[in-house]
Amino acid sequence: METEEDVPNPAQCSDAAAACVVSVKGLKENWQKWSNEHREYQKHNPFSHDTRPGAAAPQGDYGRPLQGDYGRPLQGDYGRPLQGSMTEQRGKDAHTHIGREVEELCEAIRNVGRPGDKDGRVITVEFGKLFDHYVTISNKLVGVLLRARKQGLVDFEGEMLWQGKDDQALITLLQGSEN
C-alpha cells in the first residue's frame, strides 16, 4: 500500500515514459478547489440561488424590489460590467462617441435649419432636408435623433422617423442645446 510520501503530485508526466500518473488525492484536491471557486462565483451571480444574502435589492415602483427571472430580486450591480474591466471601458468609450455624434447632429441642425420662433432660440428643420445633409456625416441619423430627444436636445412628432414617409416632419432643436 502507498503512503502519502509515495503518492506523486496530482499529475506527473515523465518525458521518457510518456505516461502520466494521476493520484486520486490530487484529483480530489483539484475538484475541491474548483468547487470552492465556483461557490464564490455563484454568490455574485444574480441568477443563482446562492446570491449574497446581505445585498439590498434595487427598489422598483411602489417600493418593491425589482425582480429578475424566476422572481428573484436583482442585485444593485445587475447588468453592469465589472469595474475596471475592458467591457466597462468599451461602454465608456461608446458613450463618449455617441455624445460627440449628438453634438454633431445639433450643429448640423443649426447649419441647415431655420429659426422657428421670433427670438431665434428654437431652430427647426424638415427631416428630409436634414437626412439629405446628414447622410454625408453619418448613416445613423435616426438613432442619433432618438438619443438627442432622450437627452432633451431635440423634439419631433412620433416615435420613429422614416425616410420618404416622414420627410416633411419638423425636427426642433430646443433652446437648451446651444452648447
Side-chain angles (χ1 to χ4, degrees):
M1 185 166 153
E2 292 182 344
T3 63
E4 279 197 31
E5 292 83 30
D6 297 335
V7 176
N9 288 338
Q12 281 186 337
C13 294
S14 67
D15 293 335
C20 290
V21 178
V22 179
S23 73
V24 174
K25 180 180 178 188
L27 289 173
K28 180 182 172 191
E29 288 172 357
N30 284 343
W31 178 260
Q32 192 61 47
K33 179 183 173 195
W34 177 86
S35 176
N36 292 340
E37 289 172 356
H38 184 70
R39 189 175 298 119
E40 279 302 310
Y41 172 78
Q42 289 297 88
K43 287 181 182 176
H44 303 287
N45 182 350
F47 298 106
S48 169
H49 292 288
D50 300 331
T51 55
R52 297 171 282 182
Q59 299 298 306
D61 293 339
Y62 311 110
R64 292 182 297 212
L66 293 176
Q67 294 188 338
D69 294 341
Y70 312 112
R72 288 188 223 121
L74 297 177
Q75 304 301 321
D77 55 355
Y78 175 78
R80 298 199 183 276
L82 295 174
Q83 266 190 327
S85 67
M86 291 297 293
T87 303
E88 180 189 41
Q89 186 58 46
R90 284 189 293 269
K92 288 178 179 178
D93 293 346
H95 184 74
T96 302
H97 177 74
I98 295 295
R100 280 195 303 268
E101 286 202 16
V102 168
E103 288 175 14
E104 289 175 11
L105 171 69
C106 291
E107 188 61 33
I109 293 173
R110 279 188 207 97
N111 293 337
V112 176
R114 61 186 190 287
D117 63 358
K118 339 177 200 185
D119 300 336
R121 295 186 311 176
V122 176
I123 298 173
T124 60
V125 64
E126 289 181 348
F127 176 67
K129 186 175 181 181
L130 179 63
F131 188 91
D132 291 340
H133 174 76
Y134 196 78
V135 76
T136 60
I137 299 170
S138 173
N139 61 351
K140 303 180 265 300
L141 173 62
V142 175
V144 177
L145 272 170
L146 291 172
R147 175 69 132 197
R149 178 167 69 177
K150 186 175 181 180
Q151 294 177 5
L153 301 175
V154 300
D155 191 31
F156 54 88
E157 291 290 322
E159 290 184 36
M160 181 70 77
L161 296 172
W162 302 96
Q163 183 186 13
K165 176 182 167 253
D166 294 316
D167 282 351
Q168 308 306 315
L170 281 181
I171 299 169
T172 305
L173 181 65
L174 303 175
Q175 77 180 51
S177 56
E178 297 161 8
N179 297 335

